[in-house]
Amino acid sequence: FFLYLGETDTLYGNLTSAGSKIYFLLNTCLYPEAIIRDEAFESLFIKALMMYRKEANRAKSSNAKSFIMTCYQHSSHFSSHIDEESAEYDKVMDLFFRDKDLTINESELSSRDLKAIDDFVEDICCAFIDYGAQYTVFVHAVRFLLIPEMPTRVRTKVLHRLKDLLHLLTTEREGADSSGADLREELGNFYLGGYSPIDNSPRDDASFLDVLATLLKRGGFKMVARQEGFFYYFAIGCLARNLASARCECGVSAMKRRMNGLEKNIWHNVAVGAFECVNQKCGTARQMADIIIRASREKLLLEETCDFDSVVNKLRNIK
């Protein structure tokens, strides 16, 4: 049915946004495991998800906003239809997409409003923990909740909930690909951009960067020991592009605090990623993904000392 909507010219399919379709698609991950493990289900799920992502890119629409609104409308807390012109729609959008850091302002928010989205995210995460991590469809479902336009609250909730299983967010095919081509292609969808002064892309939310750095510091983390995989490259890339763009003292101080305590090789990957980002005048998220994978896999080296202050000074001197 989901492929039918994407491949045929139907009124319902045309009127339904890509983000809404993805919400309905992700609900199929909560089907009985006997269905999830079927190879035909996996193939159809991934094909439909990629189709809807491309649809949103063509329309230049936000997957996240329509996904959140559809999730909100279909939660057990709310049953009425919400028109995009209504005050209720504006309220939900402001709730999850305001510029301020939601973690600071949660006391101002209705717990019922927040729970409408949290319940669905929790359902997906619980299923991933219980049995879903072994299935490729779940990897893609969880990763969708980490796309850069998704609200910081949703992304950080997923990372905290799955903190011991983040190394499993790499598919078997990506892990077996020695060239890194599959991961490079996928990671390009998960960075906000490249080097901000070049492509005018926004910097990542401060609280989200804090979470990424904290997770990379966790002892015994399998992914950290191997220094590879989707989440590792994702975290390194986000930190590197923000270090590259840090110019004001407050931004530099915040990055220094995050980097403090990182294992030496991990910090080295962040620093090299930042240098390459500036040197190559990285202008796209795809180029950023290429830089990070090469820096980590090929063990690119810095020419001089790698302490934080020296790295920042050198970045500032690059023309």
Side-chain angles (χ1 to χ4, degrees):
F1 176 70
F2 292 108
L3 283 176
Y4 173 77
L5 281 182
E7 294 177 337
T8 58
D9 187 20
T10 64
L11 179 61
Y12 178 78
N14 292 336
L15 293 177
T16 305
S17 65
S20 296
K21 293 173 185 173
I22 291 175
Y23 166 77
F24 296 128
L25 182 63
L26 261 59
N27 269 277
T28 64
C29 290
L30 305 177
Y31 285 177
E33 189 177 358
I35 297 176
I36 302 296
R37 70 165 65 100
D38 189 284
E39 290 184 4
F41 176 84
E42 176 183 309
S43 175
L44 293 170
F45 179 97
I46 293 173
K47 185 177 180 180
L49 180 61
M50 299 309 167
M51 182 186 302
Y52 294 152
R53 280 170 45 174
K54 289 179 181 178
E55 178 184 325
N57 289 337
R58 287 195 303 271
K60 296 183 179 179
S61 61
S62 171
N63 272 329
K65 288 188 176 182
S66 56
F67 175 88
I68 289 292
M69 179 53 66
T70 306
C71 183
Y72 182 84
Q73 287 179 257
H74 287 80
S75 73
S76 60
H77 307 279
F78 304 90
S79 57
S80 60
H81 175 73
I82 303 174
D83 187 85
E84 289 192 16
E85 302 299 323
S86 69
E88 183 74 358
Y89 180 88
D90 292 337
K91 173 188 173 184
V92 177
M93 291 298 98
D94 182 62
L95 185 69
F96 286 95
F97 294 93
R98 66 174 66 175
D99 291 333
K100 295 179 181 179
D101 186 349
L102 282 175
T103 58
I104 297 175
N105 296 286
E106 284 188 14
S107 60
E108 303 172 13
L109 308 178
S110 162
S111 59
R112 189 184 72 162
D113 292 338
L114 294 173
K115 189 170 177 58
I117 312 301
D118 288 350
D119 283 351
F120 181 74
V121 174
E122 178 68 13
D123 286 345
I124 294 293
C125 289
C126 281
F128 184 85
I129 293 169
D130 291 344
Y131 61 88
Q134 62 187 307
Y135 300 114
T136 301
V137 296
F138 263 98
V139 172
H140 286 288
V142 170
R143 290 197 324 203
F144 175 76
L145 298 176
L146 297 174
I147 60 174
E149 61 262 37
M150 196 64 76
T152 298
R153 176 187 174 83
V154 172
R155 301 170 87 200
T156 54
K157 182 178 180 62
V158 171
L159 295 180
H160 282 306
R161 193 70 177 85
L162 303 181
K163 61 182 181 297
D164 295 318
L165 299 176
L166 293 171
H167 60 287
L168 299 178
L169 290 181
T170 305
T171 67
E172 184 176 350
R173 174 175 171 171
E174 290 166 346
D177 177 20
S178 59
S179 71
D182 288 337
L183 266 176
R184 187 178 295 109
E185 180 72 17
E186 184 70 356
L187 281 166
N189 298 308
F190 288 86
Y191 298 134
L192 277 170
Y195 182 38
S196 295
I198 296 297
D199 63 2
N200 294 315
S201 58
R203 298 183 62 189
D204 289 276
D205 183 89
S207 63
F208 186 66
L209 294 174
D210 289 343
V211 171
L212 294 179
T214 299
L215 288 169
L216 288 175
K217 295 174 189 177
R218 297 184 68 238
F221 201 2
K222 294 179 181 179
M223 177 192 58
V224 171
R226 292 198 299 262
Q227 295 179 22
E228 62 183 10
F230 172 84
F231 178 74
Y232 183 78
Y233 296 141
F234 171 59
I236 294 297
C238 288
L239 292 169
R241 66 179 296 273
N242 284 273
L243 174 60
S245 302
R247 287 293 182 266
C248 64
E249 287 306 317
C250 58
V252 171
S253 297
M255 286 303 300
K256 185 172 185 176
R257 172 180 52 77
R258 294 183 189 109
M259 299 301 97
N260 185 38
L262 273 184
E263 194 270 329
K264 182 178 178 181
N265 289 337
I266 298 174
W267 155 239
H268 190 273
N269 286 338
V270 173
V272 171
F275 272 119
E276 291 298 307
C277 178
V278 178
N279 275 326
Q280 296 185 32
K281 295 180 170 54
C282 176
T284 67
R286 295 295 172 88
Q287 189 179 355
M288 191 71 216
D290 180 65
I291 286 171
I292 294 304
I293 290 179
R294 285 197 311 106
S296 299
R297 290 194 171 192
E298 298 176 17
K299 309 299 182 186
L300 300 181
L301 301 176
L302 295 176
E303 296 178 358
E304 301 174 7
T305 179
C306 196
D307 67 273
F308 183 88
D309 291 335
S310 297
V311 167
V312 170
N313 288 334
K314 189 170 183 179
L315 283 171
R316 285 173 169 172
N317 290 329
I318 295 177
K319 302 298 184 182

